[in-house]
Amino acid sequence: LTHLKEYNINFIESGLHNGTSWYVNLSNGQAFTSTINNITIHEPNGTYSYTISTSNKNYLPNPSSGSFTVNGSNLNISVSFRLVTYTVTFTESGLSSGYWYVNITGQPSSGQISSSQTSYSVSLPNGSYSYTISTGNKEYKPSYAGSFIVNGASVSQSISFSKVTYTVTFSESGLPSGTSWSITLNGTTKSSTTNTITFSVPNGTYSYTIGSISGYTASPSSGTIMV
């Protein structure tokens, strides 16, 4: 009984985390798997085709398929796996000056992004992510922190910055209870039948005027405030 001499064909992988299953499938129906970085098979002389795959769909093999010829000696075949990533783009609006920041949980910080640069992109594999947005310009605040999912496609996130506002309260005295009075602050007019009127405004200097009321004179009737 004659047996064909067999030779070692050693597939050596790189790129996968140890413990991740990967596979070599030959066109003759033989299938092999491993959770370490090599798979050794034994074949006699001949030409063989193969495909490579992995249980972790976030990785792609290179090459994913190929062929080899056994001709009286052992063979080493290298296979590298690369992480598949997709572009996640953050686009901001509203920030007039300064820097803004994107911090994605578990990822390196984005660093400073100038307000003249309205978008920031990062490459990420499939998964669920949370993030926070901040700015070095303390006159502004981000509209929200949030989360997103990468699932086989690029992702776009819109970020809106708005100015931090503070409450300005005007209190009156001298009018009969229930009398309507009004104030115009920086072009916005509000009225009330109680003794207070409030506005929410960002930092700045604002002019105001008190609406006229028959039989009464306001003191002061106009002025400026600084927030």
Side-chain angles (χ1 to χ4, degrees):
L1 183 63
T2 301
H3 294 280
L4 293 176
K5 185 176 181 179
E6 293 184 336
Y7 299 89
N8 295 335
I9 298 89
N10 192 29
F11 287 83
I12 304 170
E13 73 84 13
S14 60
L16 290 178
H17 294 294
N18 195 34
T20 303
S21 296
W22 62 289
Y23 313 94
V24 174
N25 296 293
L26 300 185
S27 57
N28 62 11
Q30 292 179 288
F32 307 89
T33 184
S34 177
T35 56
I36 59 175
N37 71 336
N38 70 282
I39 293 175
T40 300
I41 64 178
H42 311 283
E43 300 294 342
N45 287 340
T47 298
Y48 304 83
S49 60
Y50 64 88
T51 59
I52 306 292
S53 60
T54 176
S55 61
N56 190 332
K57 301 308 179 185
N58 285 339
Y59 287 82
L60 286 179
N62 182 31
S64 58
S65 62
S67 63
F68 61 88
T69 298
V70 180
N71 187 20
S73 62
N74 299 326
L75 292 175
N76 289 327
I77 300 172
S78 296
V79 178
S80 62
F81 286 87
R82 67 174 181 85
L83 184 63
V84 181
T85 60
Y86 302 89
T87 300
V88 179
T89 301
F90 294 84
T91 302
E92 73 86 12
S93 61
L95 186 65
S96 63
S97 63
Y99 292 91
W100 57 291
Y101 308 86
V102 178
N103 295 291
I104 302 171
T105 302
Q107 302 297 317
S109 174
S110 66
Q112 294 184 339
I113 308 166
S114 172
S115 59
S116 62
Q117 180 184 338
T118 57
S119 65
Y120 166 73
S121 296
V122 62
S123 295
L124 295 171
N126 287 337
S128 298
Y129 301 88
S130 60
Y131 65 88
T132 58
I133 306 295
S134 59
T135 175
N137 188 335
K138 299 308 179 184
E139 291 186 358
Y140 290 81
K141 61 182 177 181
S143 58
Y144 57 87
S147 62
F148 60 88
I149 297 174
V150 179
N151 187 21
S154 298
V155 176
S156 295
Q157 294 289 109
S158 296
I159 304 300
S160 297
F161 285 94
S162 59
K163 284 193 172 183
V164 179
T165 59
Y166 302 90
T167 300
V168 177
T169 301
F170 293 86
S171 299
E172 69 82 16
S173 62
L175 290 177
S177 178
T179 302
S180 179
W181 63 292
S182 65
I183 297 178
T184 300
L185 176 68
N186 200 38
T188 299
T189 301
K190 289 187 175 183
S191 61
S192 175
T193 56
T194 66
N195 69 337
T196 60
I197 295 176
T198 61
F199 294 84
S200 292
V201 294
N203 286 341
T205 300
Y206 303 92
S207 61
Y208 68 89
T209 58
I210 309 299
S212 60
I213 299 175
S214 178
Y216 290 87
T217 301
S219 179
S221 60
S222 64
T224 60
I225 60 170
M226 178 181 290
V227 178

